[in-house]
Amino acid sequence: MAALRNLSMVIGAAVAALGSVLFIAWNRYVPGRRKWRRTGYELEYRTMCDQVNKETTHKVEPKRNPKRCATCDKRIQDTYAKKLCSDCINKIMKEEQPSLLTQIYLDRQILVLGLDGAGKSSIIHALSTNTTRSRSAPTHGFNTAQILSQGLRIELLEVGGSQNLRTYWNQYLKKAHIMVFVVDSTDDIRLQLARHELHRLLEEAPLLPLVVLANKQDCKSALTTSDIYSELSLHRLQGVREVTLLGTSAVYDGYGSSTSLQTVRSMLEERLHKIKESEETRNHLQSNHHRTSL
């Protein structure tokens, strides 16, 4: 009987030990696989959520906090460095640079003509840049330069002096305010042709002011200004129109008794300003006459 009791105790202990081993094995392997499956679903779900959140983050732009202008207190969008609205910025620019933004120029044109080889291009270059050059290519068409002078935008327009271009000279007289006729003082053979072309133009524009430049006065063979005056028959224009004759040198500016080209420029600007003043006076008188007639 005692032996049977001992055997049952041993069997019970063995069964308990076996149950413990089975329980430990079950908790280690079977629940682990369930946890792996759940974890797998959870990982997959979290990955999809993260992908959705990433797509949503790229689509939604960050909101900018509205700010106010430091001057007029208008609402503006915060662009980091911007502290003023566009209206205040434009106002400040106008106050700092009034001459560039508010200056209005009146267009004036000086028509520069003369036979080919007289030095028209060199004269224009010297008048517009205050520098001289020894050579310049012949003008086969047109040449222009611009001068800004106290509210005037002055265009220096040169038309080539070859025979085929001289036929078009008269087409440019209407827009001109002053005509500058350049003569080669050393070319005494073609002075008669220059006189013919000059007076032909003057007949079509009887009121156009005339400035004659006897160029190349630096050359030894150059005729004097009195000789040029006689050869061009400028005495016939006395009392008819305003005529000025000056000796110049586009290569050696101010050579000898020749007139400096900057002096010529100042004289041309002064003439144009006088024309501007006379036009303003005439317009003022016409407006007053119109008011009184009403």
Side-chain angles (χ1 to χ4, degrees):
M1 206 56 192
L4 183 61
R5 185 181 300 113
N6 292 333
L7 179 62
S8 61
M9 291 177 62
V10 171
I11 294 173
V15 171
L18 180 62
S20 299
V21 172
L22 293 175
F23 180 78
I24 293 170
W26 177 268
N27 287 334
R28 185 169 182 178
Y29 294 102
V30 176
R33 270 178 273 179
R34 291 180 181 176
K35 183 178 180 181
W36 176 83
R37 288 171 188 161
R38 289 198 301 270
T39 307
Y41 288 125
E42 290 176 0
L43 288 174
E44 185 178 0
Y45 175 77
R46 288 175 183 175
T47 304
M48 292 176 65
C49 291
D50 292 340
Q51 184 176 0
V52 173
N53 291 335
K54 288 180 180 180
E55 294 175 356
T56 307
T57 304
H58 286 294
K59 290 181 180 179
V60 178
E61 296 182 356
K63 295 183 179 179
R64 294 180 176 181
N65 297 326
K67 287 191 174 182
R68 295 186 177 274
C69 175
T71 304
C72 65
D73 202 37
K74 287 184 180 179
R75 294 175 66 89
I76 58 174
Q77 292 294 328
D78 180 16
T79 57
Y80 305 104
K82 187 176 180 181
K83 301 298 181 182
L84 302 175
C85 64
S86 57
D87 295 336
C88 293
I89 293 175
N90 293 333
K91 183 178 179 180
I92 292 174
M93 290 181 64
K94 289 181 180 180
E95 291 176 353
E96 291 179 352
Q97 298 177 338
S99 59
L100 297 178
L101 298 175
T102 61
Q103 181 71 55
I104 300 176
Y105 291 97
L106 295 178
D107 293 324
R108 293 293 183 265
Q109 186 184 90
I110 298 176
L111 183 60
V112 182
L113 302 176
L115 299 182
D116 51 303
K120 300 183 296 297
S121 299
S122 299
I123 292 289
I124 286 180
H125 175 79
L127 292 177
S128 58
T129 64
N130 196 20
T131 58
T132 60
R133 58 186 181 186
S134 58
R135 291 184 179 181
S136 60
T139 302
H140 298 289
F142 308 92
N143 183 26
T144 61
Q146 191 178 90
I147 299 173
L148 298 179
S149 172
Q150 299 178 2
L152 295 181
R153 184 188 292 112
I154 305 171
E155 179 191 18
L156 298 169
L157 174 62
E158 173 200 354
V159 185
S162 59
Q163 183 177 0
N164 58 335
L165 290 175
R166 290 199 296 267
T167 56
Y168 300 98
W169 280 359
N170 57 350
Q171 299 182 13
Y172 298 92
L173 296 173
K174 294 181 180 179
K175 294 184 179 180
H177 296 84
I178 295 177
M179 181 171 67
V180 174
F181 196 84
V182 183
V183 179
D184 183 356
S185 301
T186 64
D187 191 3
D188 55 343
I189 298 176
R190 295 201 301 170
L191 278 177
Q192 184 177 358
L193 176 60
R195 180 180 67 228
H196 171 74
E197 295 293 344
L198 174 60
H199 286 273
R200 181 178 62 86
L201 292 171
L202 296 178
E203 290 178 358
E204 299 191 27
L207 300 178
L208 189 63
L210 173 64
V211 176
V212 179
L213 298 182
N215 197 29
K216 303 185 182 181
Q217 288 293 310
D218 56 288
C219 298
K220 294 181 179 180
S221 59
L223 298 176
T224 62
T225 53
S226 59
D227 294 334
I228 298 295
Y229 185 88
S230 176
E231 290 291 336
L232 295 181
S233 301
L234 296 181
H235 60 276
R236 294 162 48 185
L237 305 177
Q238 291 294 334
V240 179
R241 69 171 67 236
E242 186 178 2
V243 182
T244 303
L245 173 62
L246 299 172
T248 59
S249 173
V251 178
Y252 301 101
D253 191 18
Y255 177 85
S257 60
S258 63
T259 305
S260 168
L261 290 174
Q262 291 309 305
T263 303
V264 175
R265 170 174 169 168
S266 301
M267 183 265 295
L268 292 173
E269 292 177 355
E270 184 180 354
R271 293 274 182 89
L272 290 174
H273 282 291
K274 288 182 178 179
I275 294 174
K276 174 186 173 184
E277 293 174 359
S278 62
E279 289 179 353
E280 292 176 350
T281 303
R282 183 170 60 253
N283 294 333
H284 181 69
L285 294 175
Q286 289 178 354
S287 62
N288 289 339
H289 177 72
H290 180 68
R291 291 176 182 174
T292 53
S293 61
L294 293 176

